[in-house]
């Protein structure tokens, strides 16, 4: 019997296998990964340094143990070159591999913004455990770190490194932190608490040049500012890995296009995680992956099950000022209402019927995300306090 | 008292501290948390947690 073949040993690949094994111990499964196959928590890459963890310390379960626990064949350090859909075979660096059904869980590549200068190639990205190991090596003897990107990962890194005593500069062409996730009044809450632990913010500009100097680099920003730094990390976003699927003629857009059953334009091929575009949406977060993995496992075991996503707030791991956000679509109709603002903000997005469809909680309100999630889709009671400044933003 | 860690996202549950914001009192043993409880950070079920050293 030909196996179900899963490509990628990240959270998406391993979760779908783990869920499948709860339903079926016998169906043959082969996992192909270009990595070692060790299982680790990717979200911890951006907050592990302050916890004193090295790369080995992030590994939760070694590859061999994962394979034994899950009862799968693991092909580690193996590249997949092509998918032959007609014959349902893969061409890999370890030879040909036939599949009954194929699950693509290859993740995403960091987006790199081109910069000038003789050290442009020294800009690092931290997208997997090998990058993290490299980062820990590169940071030896460095006092100042520059992070390109003030989004979720950029802010988490800034908090993590500043907590451990590094001076950190964050450079972002946008107007304030986390700008793609929340309104200005909420994003700006991070400015002072992170500045207090050593973060220096530069918004409305970007890195133009990175040049080598003794013991580090000189950065030149688009606005002419120059910074001396010891290490430059780029955290400006992710691009789904679609090349393999595209070359095989599968329908792709930003990600590999799949329906609510995680099924691509080929009925024997599925995709989930950061490489997938489910019903038009790429959702590179942990919670959507877990829901997709559970639904796909049921479908693979013979019970066709669409994924249904509940409200999935995103937690930003910035202990200096914690944030939980349920973002709304860029074109959503409605407005943000400020509901409380002492040591953080609580904001709700109200649609035309005055029902809450999104929220942002920062600082001491961040812990209220479950209560807020329960109120989604309902009108909220009037704000108790007298109107707050900026409440109509 | 033990400390537990979510295998998916690294979330840590410390029995000594509990999770007061989720209605779990300090000192609540892992065994006494309901089976339908899920990791507040990533949503995995209780069965997917794994114990780490105290």
């Amino acid at each position: 019997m030909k196996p179900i073949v899963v490509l990628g040993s990240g959270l998406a690949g391993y979760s779908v296998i783990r869920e499948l094994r709860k339903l079926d111990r016998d169906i043959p499964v082969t996992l192909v990964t270009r990595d070692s196959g060790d299982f680790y928590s990717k979200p911890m890459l951006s907050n592990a340094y302050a916890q004193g963890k090295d790369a080995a310390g992030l590994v939760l379960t070694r590859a061999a143990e994962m394979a034994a626990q899950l009862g799968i064949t693991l092909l580690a350090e193996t590249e997949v070159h092509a998918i032959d859909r007609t014959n349902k075979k893969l061409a890999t660096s370890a030879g040909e591999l036939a599949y009954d059904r194929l699950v693509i869980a290859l993740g995403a590549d960091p987006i790199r913004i081109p910069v000038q200068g003789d050290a442009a190639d020294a800009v690092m990205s931290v997208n997997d455990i090998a990058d993290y190991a490299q980062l820990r090596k590169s940071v030896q003897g460095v006092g100042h770190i520059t992070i390109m990107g003030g989004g979720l990962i950029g802010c988490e890194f800034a908090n993590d490194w500043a907590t451990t005593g590094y001076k950190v500069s964050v450079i972002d062409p946008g107007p304030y932190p986390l700008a793609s996730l929340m309104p200005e009044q909420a994003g700006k809450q991070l400015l002072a608490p992170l500045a207090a632990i050593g973060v220096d913010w530069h918004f409305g500009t970007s890195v133009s040049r990175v040049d080598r100097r003794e013991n580090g680099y000189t950065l030149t920003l688009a606005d002419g500012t120059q910074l001396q730094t010891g290490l430059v990390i780029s955290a400006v976003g992710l691009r789904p890995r679609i090349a393999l699927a595209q070359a095989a003629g599968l329908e792709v857009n930003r990600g590999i296009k799949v329906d609510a059953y995680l099924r691509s334009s080929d009925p024997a091929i599925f995709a989930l995680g950061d490489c997938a575009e489910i019903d038009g949406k790429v959702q590179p977060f942990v919670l959507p992956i877990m829901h997709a993995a559970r639904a796909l496992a049921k479908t693979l075991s013979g019970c066709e099950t669409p994924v249904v996503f509940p409200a999935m707030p995103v937690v930003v791991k910035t202990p200096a000022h914690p944030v939980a956000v349920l973002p709304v679509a860029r074109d959503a109709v409605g407005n943000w209402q400020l509901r409380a603002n002492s040591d953080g903000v609580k904001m709700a997005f109200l649609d035309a019927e005055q029902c809450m469809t999104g929220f942002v909680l920062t600082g001491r309100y961040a812990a209220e995300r479950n209560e807020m999630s329960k109120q989604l889709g309902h009108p909220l009671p009037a704000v108790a306090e007298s109107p707050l400044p900026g409440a109509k933003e | 008292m033990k400390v537990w860690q979510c295998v998916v996202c690294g979330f840590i549950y410390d029995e000594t501290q509990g999770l007061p914001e989720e209605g779990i009192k300090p000192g609540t043993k892992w065994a006494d948390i309901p089976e339908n409880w899920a990791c507040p950070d990533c949503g995995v079920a209780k069965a997917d947690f794994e114990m780490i050293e105290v």
Side-chain angles (χ1 to χ4, degrees):
Chain A
M1 189 180 172
K2 288 190 289 184
I4 293 175
V5 175
V6 177
L7 306 184
S9 59
L11 180 63
Y14 269 131
S15 294
V16 74
I17 298 171
R18 192 188 280 132
E19 293 298 323
L20 178 62
R21 281 301 183 232
K22 290 178 186 168
L23 306 168
D24 189 325
R25 282 302 306 179
D26 303 322
I27 190 165
V29 175
T30 298
L31 174 61
V32 186
T33 176
R34 72 173 187 191
D35 298 334
S36 66
D38 289 346
F39 181 68
Y40 66 97
S41 162
K42 184 173 177 190
M44 286 189 72
L45 294 178
S46 48
N47 72 339
Y49 197 77
Q51 296 180 24
K53 285 188 188 277
D54 62 9
L58 282 183
V59 173
L60 294 163
T61 313
R62 310 290 305 185
E65 202 182 322
M66 286 303 285
Q69 268 177 20
L70 296 169
I72 59 173
T73 304
L74 176 69
L75 299 178
E77 323 280 350
T78 302
E79 293 277 350
V80 176
H81 303 310
I83 305 168
D84 172 357
R85 297 200 285 126
T86 315
N87 299 303
K88 294 174 89 174
K89 271 184 199 162
L90 303 172
T92 82
S93 56
E96 252 184 18
L97 178 65
Y99 63 86
D100 175 50
R101 281 161 298 167
L102 182 65
V103 177
I104 304 177
L106 289 171
D109 284 312
I111 293 173
R112 297 297 293 255
I113 293 170
V115 294
Q116 305 294 311
D118 64 21
D121 60 349
V123 176
M124 301 186 68
S125 304
V126 185
N127 193 41
D128 60 31
I129 199 163
D131 293 342
Y132 180 72
Q134 182 60 46
L135 173 68
R136 285 186 58 99
K137 220 183 280 175
S138 303
V139 83
Q140 302 293 330
V142 165
H144 182 277
I145 297 173
T146 301
I147 299 169
M148 295 166 63
L152 185 144
I153 300 295
C155 287
E156 291 187 351
F157 269 128
N159 197 145
D160 199 38
W161 295 96
T163 301
T164 37
Y166 291 87
K167 290 285 169 203
V168 179
S169 292
V170 176
I171 297 154
D172 191 298
Y176 56 90
L178 304 172
S180 67
L181 291 170
M182 61 189 66
E184 182 166 2
Q185 196 172 5
K188 282 196 161 166
Q189 299 297 313
L190 273 90
L191 295 176
L194 269 80
I197 60 169
V199 176
D200 155 50
W201 302 99
H202 296 260
F203 286 100
T205 188
S206 55
V207 176
S208 304
R209 295 185 63 88
V210 184
D211 290 292
R212 252 171 255 282
R213 64 173 178 98
E214 208 181 332
N215 299 324
Y217 308 101
T218 299
L219 300 189
T220 310
L221 307 189
D223 65 8
T225 308
Q226 287 207 324
L227 290 174
Q228 308 299 320
T229 193
L231 186 72
V232 188
I233 300 173
S234 172
V236 298
L238 293 172
R239 180 178 292 125
R241 290 185 178 132
I242 60 171
L244 186 70
Q246 195 166 25
L250 295 177
E251 278 180 32
V252 295
N253 184 32
R254 226 188 119 220
I256 301 167
K257 286 174 81 168
V258 297
D259 62 14
Y261 296 87
L262 295 317
R263 191 174 266 122
S264 73
S265 54
D266 179 328
I269 302 181
F270 301 80
L272 81 164
D274 293 3
C275 68
E277 181 175 318
I278 306 169
D279 280 338
K281 278 170 89 178
V282 176
Q283 299 187 80
F285 301 106
V286 165
L287 215 41
I289 290 177
M290 299 310 292
H291 286 280
R294 279 189 205 113
L296 179 53
K298 285 184 190 150
T299 296
L300 292 171
S301 73
C303 175
E304 290 276 320
T305 305
V307 59
V308 179
F309 293 117
M312 297 181 288
V314 175
V315 174
V316 186
K317 298 189 294 297
T318 43
H321 194 79
V323 176
V325 54
L326 186 76
V328 294
R330 215 173 276 267
D331 54 358
V333 177
N335 55 68
W336 285 99
Q337 181 193 49
L338 181 66
R339 301 192 53 88
N341 67 342
S342 69
D343 298 329
V345 295
K346 182 196 294 197
M347 299 182 75
F349 189 83
L350 304 178
D351 68 9
E353 278 77 50
Q354 296 299 297
C355 289
M356 179 169 67
T357 56
F359 60 78
V360 187
L361 305 166
T362 84
R364 67 189 183 95
Y365 305 108
E368 296 177 27
R369 65 186 181 281
N370 288 344
E371 292 94 280
M372 283 299 267
S373 292
K374 282 179 200 145
Q375 295 175 64
L376 282 166
H378 299 289
L380 294 178
V383 181
E385 295 111 293
S386 55
L388 296 157
K392 287 207 169 114
E393 189 176 345
Chain B
M1 294 280 111
K2 286 176 179 165
V3 176
W4 300 74
Q5 182 176 40
C6 173
V7 296
V8 169
C9 69
F11 174 82
I12 285 178
Y13 176 71
D14 183 338
E15 292 182 343
T16 314
Q17 292 175 11
L19 277 173
E21 64 273 25
E22 308 233 339
I24 298 172
K25 293 192 185 109
T28 302
K29 289 218 171 102
W30 183 244
D32 296 331
I33 290 178
E35 290 303 318
N36 65 1
W37 184 85
C39 172
D41 277 7
C42 71
V44 303
K46 190 181 168 187
D48 292 324
F49 268 61
E50 159 176 308
M51 191 171 67
I52 60 160
E53 286 179 22
V54 187

